[in-house]
Amino acid sequence: MNYKKFIPHQISKTTKMKSTLHNKQYRQRGFGAGFIEEKIEEIRKIVNQEKAVSVLSGGVDSSTVTVLGHKALGNRLKTVFIDNGLMRENEPENIVKTFKKLKIKVEVINAKDKFFRVLKGKTDPEEKRKAITEVFYRDVFKNIVRKNKIDFLLQGTILTDIEETVAGVKRQHNVLAQIGINPQKEFGYQIIEPLIELRKDEVRKVAKLLGLPEMIYQRIPFPGPALAARVIGEVTPEKIAIVKKATAVVEKELKTSGAFQYFPVLLNDKATGVRDNKRELGNIITIRCVESTDARKAKPTKLPWKVLEKITKRLTTEIQEVNRVCYDTTPKPPATIEYI
Ligand code: XMP
């Protein structure tokens, strides 16, 4: 893919927010209360008397942006959760409940069919990512802003997303202006990115200061393409169902590991196995568990053998379609954290 060169001024051009990227002042005094006040003020100025929409995924970045937007705009901010069929078990219900406690109403929009339709037949990682980006921005978000007469979309793009995309490592689903896409011209709405100069650890600090619950500000990262990033090859509802169950098991068993990120990946091939004395062909799951601070580099976690044994047992007994489990011992680089 031919990525355009990253030009920092494009950030301020698209969002009209102060381009404080690599701002030494911020790095020295930290991303504390001053940062929060400044961002709230900037959102207010940009949106003026109009309305904005925040697209919540349940991760720390979009949750932080939603609270900032809510503080800035009150009920002129609409918050939505797109149920694309690729999210983790019970995610829409859990997110609605969590934000209800913060007095923020979240509307769940069912877009499952749209996503599975565009993913059908696609096997190339970048094509899968591009297809997801297109449905989000050109279809789902566009419909929401049109229907509700909204001009601005708030989103939680962070510095690492941009760095990886412009370096050509992989196209992060939410990076647009920095690769030459003008959202206003292409999709008909402006995008505001208040967290663009922050890395993951800094977003966590802001989220905590904003009063988000620990299960959000300490939540492990989850990619924009969601579970589609954890299925090698074509993404189908059947494969997503397998990786969804496996994710619930792995997240539960590694919750106390203290690792930066942990998840299962469903491989594209089948392995021979034997169950009840009968030969079978089953699915292969790889477990990824890494140590990192900002996702730029990562090391595999040295998980105790007992933990790996327990996960293997659970995955192969609770998910009938799985008969083989592997542990990924590759650092980043040369691997990336995700598989697509
Ligand atoms: P990689 O796989 O490039 O991932 O080592 C680095 C970090 O970014 C997350 N990730 C994404 N986050 N949209 C996101 O919001 C994406 O498209 C995306 N792809 C990867 C990944 O989970 C890891 O924490």
Side-chain angles (χ1 to χ4, degrees):
M1 181 158 299
N2 188 15
Y3 290 92
K4 287 199 179 167
K5 201 174 176 310
F6 175 35
I7 309 164
H9 77 258
Q10 284 181 330
I11 293 172
S12 52
K13 216 165 125 191
T14 348
T15 64
K16 297 205 190 89
M17 295 201 102
K18 278 184 194 164
S19 182
T20 40
L21 191 74
H22 296 308
N23 187 329
K24 277 200 188 114
Q25 215 184 334
Y26 267 136
R27 301 228 169 263
Q28 276 158 10
R29 70 176 151 100
F31 296 91
F35 174 85
I36 291 173
E37 273 163 32
E38 208 166 284
K39 292 297 152 188
I40 290 174
E41 206 38 54
E42 283 181 30
I43 295 170
R44 272 192 196 133
K45 266 198 197 137
I46 295 167
V47 178
N48 203 355
Q49 295 308 311
E50 306 300 319
K51 290 186 281 182
V53 60
S54 181
V55 185
L56 188 55
S57 72
V60 59
D61 308 339
S62 69
S63 298
T64 303
V65 160
T66 299
V67 177
L68 281 175
H70 190 73
K71 283 189 186 292
L73 306 172
N75 59 14
R76 282 188 295 123
L77 180 79
K78 183 179 178 65
T79 302
V80 297
F81 176 95
I82 312 297
D83 188 357
N84 53 17
L86 308 169
M87 303 310 261
R88 287 168 282 187
E89 255 174 27
N90 305 322
E91 191 69 0
E93 299 84 343
N94 290 341
I95 293 305
V96 170
K97 232 191 275 169
T98 305
F99 278 80
K100 198 173 174 190
K101 286 187 195 143
L102 297 168
K103 304 204 171 11
I104 298 177
K105 188 172 168 270
V106 181
E107 185 186 332
V108 178
I109 295 177
N110 184 350
K112 288 179 198 160
D113 291 349
K114 286 182 179 173
F115 283 87
F116 283 119
R117 212 179 303 135
V118 296
L119 286 167
K120 198 167 189 297
K122 295 206 171 52
T123 53
D124 176 77
E126 283 294 312
E127 268 185 34
K128 280 157 59 174
R129 284 179 169 267
K130 193 164 178 237
I132 290 170
T133 302
E134 291 280 310
V135 187
F136 267 132
Y137 291 92
R138 230 178 265 290
D139 184 340
V140 182
F141 298 166
K142 203 169 171 174
N143 282 341
I144 299 170
V145 297
R146 269 202 192 146
K147 211 173 109 194
N148 295 282
K149 297 192 171 45
I150 289 172
D151 292 319
F152 300 92
L153 184 118
L154 271 173
Q155 75 172 19
T157 323
I158 64 169
L159 187 52
T160 324
D161 299 339
I162 296 168
E163 286 173 336
E164 296 238 326
T165 303
V166 297
V169 176
K170 62 182 73 167
R171 179 201 173 99
Q172 302 264 345
H173 79 292
N174 50 3
V175 177
L176 304 163
Q178 298 79 18
I179 55 167
I181 300 169
N182 180 337
Q184 180 72 66
K185 214 163 117 197
E186 293 273 335
F187 317 128
Y189 49 85
Q190 288 190 49
I191 294 183
I192 305 175
E193 297 170 308
L195 308 180
I196 206 124
E197 67 258 67
L198 271 57
R199 295 191 200 283
K200 198 58 122 194
D201 46 333
E202 294 157 342
V203 182
R204 292 194 198 285
K205 286 180 198 152
V206 175
K208 190 175 178 188
L209 262 176
L210 281 170
L212 277 152
E214 190 175 348
M215 59 86 56
I216 297 278
Y217 72 74
Q218 286 295 23
R219 203 165 191 197
I220 52 169
F222 189 67
L227 296 178
R230 277 109 193 238
V231 171
I232 312 288
E234 187 185 9
V235 178
T236 62
E238 294 74 25
K239 286 184 182 177
I240 289 292
I242 295 173
V243 87
K244 201 182 261 193
K245 283 187 214 159
T247 302
V249 171
V250 171
E251 287 198 352
K252 174 148 194 295
E253 296 302 331
L254 296 182
K255 201 175 170 190
T256 54
S257 66
F260 175 78
Q261 203 169 356
Y262 37 85
F263 54 88
V265 177
L266 177 63
L267 302 191
N268 195 18
D269 223 334
K270 294 275 168 78
T272 302
V274 54
R275 211 187 289 259
D276 304 326
N277 291 323
K278 266 195 222 126
R279 180 191 145 100
E280 64 168 24
L281 277 182
N283 287 285
I284 312 164
I285 292 269
T286 291
I287 310 294
R288 187 91 169 120
C289 180
V290 294
E291 308 298 319
S292 179
T293 46
D294 56 19
R296 284 186 293 174
K297 285 184 178 174
K299 276 189 192 157
T301 308
K302 291 182 181 161
L303 286 174
W305 192 250
K306 259 195 167 160
V307 173
L308 287 169
E309 271 181 338
K310 185 167 180 207
I311 294 174
T312 305
K313 177 120 200 255
R314 285 198 61 190
L315 292 176
T316 52
T317 49
E318 292 173 31
I319 312 171
Q320 280 300 302
E321 298 95 328
V322 173
N323 72 358
R324 202 168 290 237
V325 178
C326 308
Y327 187 56
D328 184 342
T329 56
T330 333
K332 174 184 179 177
T336 54
I337 296 178
E338 304 285 348
Y339 274 52
I340 78 154

